[in-house]
Amino acid sequence: MERIMVKDLKWPVERDFIAAGSLLLLVSETPEGRIVINGKFFPLRAGTVFICRPGQLVEIGMPSDEEQGIYVIRFQAVTLQHIGEPESSVRPVHTFPGEGDVIQLAPSVVLPLVKMISSNWQSGHMAESFRAEAGFYELLSLILQNEEHKTAMALEYAKFMLERDFAEDVTIEGLAVTAGLSRFHFMRLFKEKFGKGVIEYVTELRLTKAKELMREHPDSSIREIAFQVGYKNEIYFSNSFKKHMGMAPALYLKNSKIKVAAYSWVNIGQLLALQVIPFAAPMDHYWTDYYRSKFGYDVTVPLSHHYDFNREALSQSRPDYIIGIDAWIPNEEQVKLAQLAPTLFVPWDQSWRQHLKLIADFIGKTKEAEKWLQSYEKKAAEIRATLATAFQSESVLVVHLHHKEILVWGRQAGTVLYDDLNFQPAKLVDQFQWTKSISLTQLADYEADHIVLNISKDPVSQAHWAGLSKMSLWRELPSVKREKVHTTPGFSGWESPWNEYTAFNHERFLQQMVQIMNPAT
């Protein structure tokens, strides 16, 4: 048993691997962070428990200012065979009930228990060891008997009904009645628990099934598939599919036959602009769950940050192309990847437009890239004209509050604002590319006429903002006094702009700018 804290993590910053040589039981005492199991991302909360089997690749990440950690309990389980006979033996068990699920226990119950187990187990005395083992069995009983209050169970049952009957006319009213809740209360609790609304979840279920049917039965008509997944209107289905996936069903089916591995995070957004969804990609995005939510079904081979793991996964899946970022992958690893499939390692020091063109030429989508860029430039010109009168030559600064840190965006991070929409960068912005951590006192040095303010949703960031917003140093800023602070209404992807330096994200950002910049709040 051990307790891992952020100071114990090695390289890269805020991430490390846990060796799963046996069954693992992980208990989080941190209120936020992430864990990635075989490429699958899970958020951490205090009292969150995971059970992992031997051989799984487990990564953890915690905020740099976090003082809590994760308890790691390695244990073995066996089953007895031929009990009572001379050839009685034990057989190792490599799976365990609850494995693969996110188990949320009450922190006030589970954390004191785990601390007791840890302190007694490490004491070295026999009595304390027995006490630790007793505590361990108590912990297992809490996990196996984890039946939260009736409302939570009712929500789980409602989710089960949706997954079973999504092609039928399941109504929110009917689900609410089953859960014993009012319609409004049910909808609110469902979204809080599962991160998406009922209608959004039904749409995802239907479209995921539609994609499965299109791949399994490519000769089926769009009309037949639409009816099978619950749509009575073929046109409505096609429009819904295109809105959700960014391409028509027929084009999705055509492009899904191209097996492209996006080795680096940033490659995903370039491929999506070309209407190609990678079949292999890292999906443990800690700054947004947008890609996991929309494309989790299509990325059948989740990649990690472990070179051997990735090479084994790609060797078995046999991609047509592998695309990565040159500066992010060592040369010796690039050579090994080139032995698996044709590879392109995009020069990081070139612009996102050049990245898009290079990738398009590599996979035979040159015309698609040209068409996309023309459309983008047209949209940028329209929005530029819409906002020009209101902002004229006034300067703009992007400020991101994450935990207790104030981050300002540099020129390259804010390229959509400064280069495509021609906003004037605030003072000092041209001196760095991506982000810079500053103090509240230093914020005044940027002399920004307008501030685009993004606040992370986590409790620490929100609490920090509640205090900061009342401070005179903030309230006396010219942009604050003139009410020229523009808050972002929950848009994702602000924490790591270098990971979103892509055509696809910049188009999303472009479309959000009118909403962000007008009106000011």
Side-chain angles (χ1 to χ4, degrees):
M1 183 166 187
E2 63 178 319
R3 180 177 180 239
I4 297 177
M5 300 178 65
V6 67
K7 63 182 179 63
D8 302 315
L9 302 184
K10 303 183 183 69
W11 185 93
V13 178
E14 300 184 0
R15 183 182 296 115
D16 206 351
F17 297 98
I18 299 176
S22 64
L23 287 167
L24 285 184
L25 198 156
L26 310 175
V27 183
S28 171
E29 61 176 348
T30 177
E32 85 173 287
R34 59 192 177 276
I35 186 167
V36 183
I37 302 174
N38 274 13
K40 189 174 181 181
F41 175 98
F42 300 96
L44 289 178
R45 299 290 182 269
T48 304
V49 179
F50 302 90
I51 296 176
C52 304
R53 66 175 179 271
Q56 288 188 314
L57 184 67
V58 182
E59 306 171 53
I60 60 173
M62 288 179 282
S64 58
D65 57 353
E66 186 55 70
E67 297 180 356
Q68 281 79 34
I70 296 177
Y71 285 93
V72 181
I73 304 175
R74 294 178 171 85
F75 68 101
Q76 295 179 335
V78 299
T79 181
L80 292 171
Q81 295 179 305
H82 309 294
I83 298 174
E85 299 180 9
E87 62 271 23
S88 295
S89 62
V90 296
R91 178 172 59 87
V93 174
H94 299 305
T95 59
F96 206 80
E99 177 203 324
D101 294 332
V102 180
I103 303 166
Q104 187 63 49
L105 300 177
S108 59
V109 175
V110 68
L111 295 182
L113 178 59
V114 173
K115 291 176 182 177
M116 181 276 289
I117 297 170
S118 178
S119 62
N120 281 284
W121 186 252
Q122 294 171 6
S123 71
H125 299 291
M126 184 178 295
E128 283 77 3
S129 296
F130 279 120
R131 190 173 292 113
E133 288 196 43
F136 176 67
Y137 284 115
E138 175 65 18
L139 178 60
L140 290 182
S141 74
L142 289 174
I143 294 170
L144 298 177
Q145 295 176 0
N146 178 40
E147 297 183 4
E148 297 178 346
H149 53 79
K150 292 182 179 180
T151 299
M153 296 302 293
L155 289 171
E156 291 285 357
Y157 183 66
K159 180 171 175 281
F160 164 75
M161 289 181 64
L162 287 176
E163 293 170 348
R164 184 190 65 186
D165 303 328
F166 64 84
E168 308 298 328
D169 292 327
V170 181
T171 65
I172 293 177
E173 289 77 8
L175 292 170
V177 169
T178 301
L181 301 167
S182 69
R183 184 180 190 275
F184 173 79
H185 197 44
F186 170 74
M187 293 175 66
R188 181 178 63 82
L189 291 178
F190 189 95
K191 187 167 186 176
E192 285 180 0
K193 184 171 180 63
F194 302 114
K196 58 195 69 176
V198 178
I199 302 301
E200 181 185 1
Y201 190 58
V202 170
T203 299
E204 287 186 4
L205 289 170
R206 288 180 171 182
L207 295 185
T208 297
K209 184 62 177 179
K211 290 187 286 186
E212 180 184 324
L213 292 173
M214 280 191 284
R215 293 190 179 194
E216 292 179 353
H217 308 285
D219 296 329
S220 297
S221 68
I222 299 299
R223 183 173 181 272
E224 291 172 335
I225 290 173
F227 284 179
Q228 287 186 63
V229 299
Y231 290 96
K232 302 299 186 288
N233 185 298
E234 176 185 346
I235 296 177
Y236 183 78
F237 164 72
S238 295
N239 290 338
S240 179
F241 191 98
K242 187 172 183 179
K243 180 180 179 181
H244 188 80
M245 298 302 300
M247 65 192 81
L251 183 59
Y252 167 83
L253 184 59
K254 176 184 176 182
N255 286 348
S256 65
K257 297 175 182 177
I258 306 172
K259 296 176 65 177
V260 184
Y263 198 89
S264 304
W265 277 326
V266 73
N267 301 134
I268 299 172
Q270 301 292 20
L271 289 168
L272 291 176
L274 300 172
Q275 297 189 312
V276 173
I277 304 173
F279 90 106
M283 296 299 283
D284 54 331
H285 313 96
Y286 58 87
W287 64 94
T288 174
D289 63 355
Y290 179 84
Y291 300 106
R292 283 188 295 276
S293 176
K294 276 190 172 290
F295 308 110
Y297 168 81
D298 302 277
V299 180
T300 55
V301 180
L303 300 179
S304 177
H305 304 278
H306 190 286
Y307 297 135
D308 293 341
F309 176 88
N310 287 348
R311 266 188 278 107
E312 178 64 24
L314 293 173
S315 176
Q316 293 181 9
S317 57
R318 305 181 67 178
D320 298 318
Y321 306 99
I322 299 173
I323 300 173
I325 298 295
D326 63 348
W328 298 4
I329 307 170
N331 290 333
E332 58 271 22
E333 191 61 27
Q334 293 183 26
V335 172
K336 293 177 182 178
L337 291 172
Q339 297 172 359
L340 302 178
T343 56
L344 171 67
F345 300 103
V346 180
W348 183 236
D349 58 359
Q350 295 187 6
S351 72
W352 66 267
R353 286 176 171 82
Q354 191 61 29
H355 291 175
L356 180 67
K357 292 176 183 178
L358 288 171
I359 292 173
D361 292 344
F362 182 62
I363 64 173
K365 297 286 182 180
T366 303
K367 291 182 178 179
E368 287 83 349
E370 293 173 352
K371 182 178 179 181
W372 189 95
L373 285 169
Q374 290 173 2
S375 174
Y376 180 86
E377 304 302 346
K378 182 179 178 181
K379 291 175 184 176
E382 291 173 351
I383 296 174
R384 202 160 50 233
T386 300
L387 299 175
T389 303
F391 294 92
Q392 297 178 0
S393 60
E394 295 184 321
S395 63
V396 178
L397 176 69
V398 178
V399 177
H400 173 57
L401 265 64
H402 182 63
H403 290 183
K404 298 179 181 179
E405 194 172 22
I406 300 174
L407 297 164
V408 291
W409 276 20
R411 183 62 184 251
Q412 198 158 356
T415 183
V416 175
L417 277 173
Y418 306 131
D419 299 319
D420 300 338
L421 295 179
N422 291 344
F423 283 106
Q424 179 182 333
K427 187 179 178 181
L428 307 180
V429 164
D430 286 331
Q431 296 183 6
F432 58 100
Q433 288 187 318
W434 296 110
T435 62
K436 185 176 182 180
S437 179
I438 65 170
S439 66
L440 183 55
T441 304
Q442 292 172 317
L443 191 55
D445 298 338
Y446 288 79
E447 300 179 4
D449 296 315
H450 294 262
I451 290 178
V452 177
L453 176 65
N454 182 74
I455 307 164
S456 294
K457 295 180 179 179
D458 62 274
V460 176
S461 300
Q462 293 293 324
H464 183 53
W465 165 242
L468 184 149
S469 62
K470 296 180 176 65
M471 297 176 67
S472 59
L473 282 172
W474 170 262
R475 298 170 73 90
E476 292 301 316
L477 290 171
S479 53
V480 177
K481 293 174 70 174
R482 294 173 55 223
E483 298 184 344
K484 298 297 183 181
V485 177
H486 312 263
T487 56
T488 63
F491 297 133
S492 61
W494 294 80
E495 186 177 338
S496 301
W498 50 87
N499 288 324
E500 295 288 0
Y501 188 64
T502 72
F504 180 79
N505 180 72
H506 289 346
E507 183 179 37
R508 293 178 64 219
F509 189 85
L510 194 69
Q511 293 168 343
Q512 295 163 359
M513 287 317 301
V514 174
Q515 183 181 355
I516 292 173
M517 302 301 287
N518 187 31
T521 57

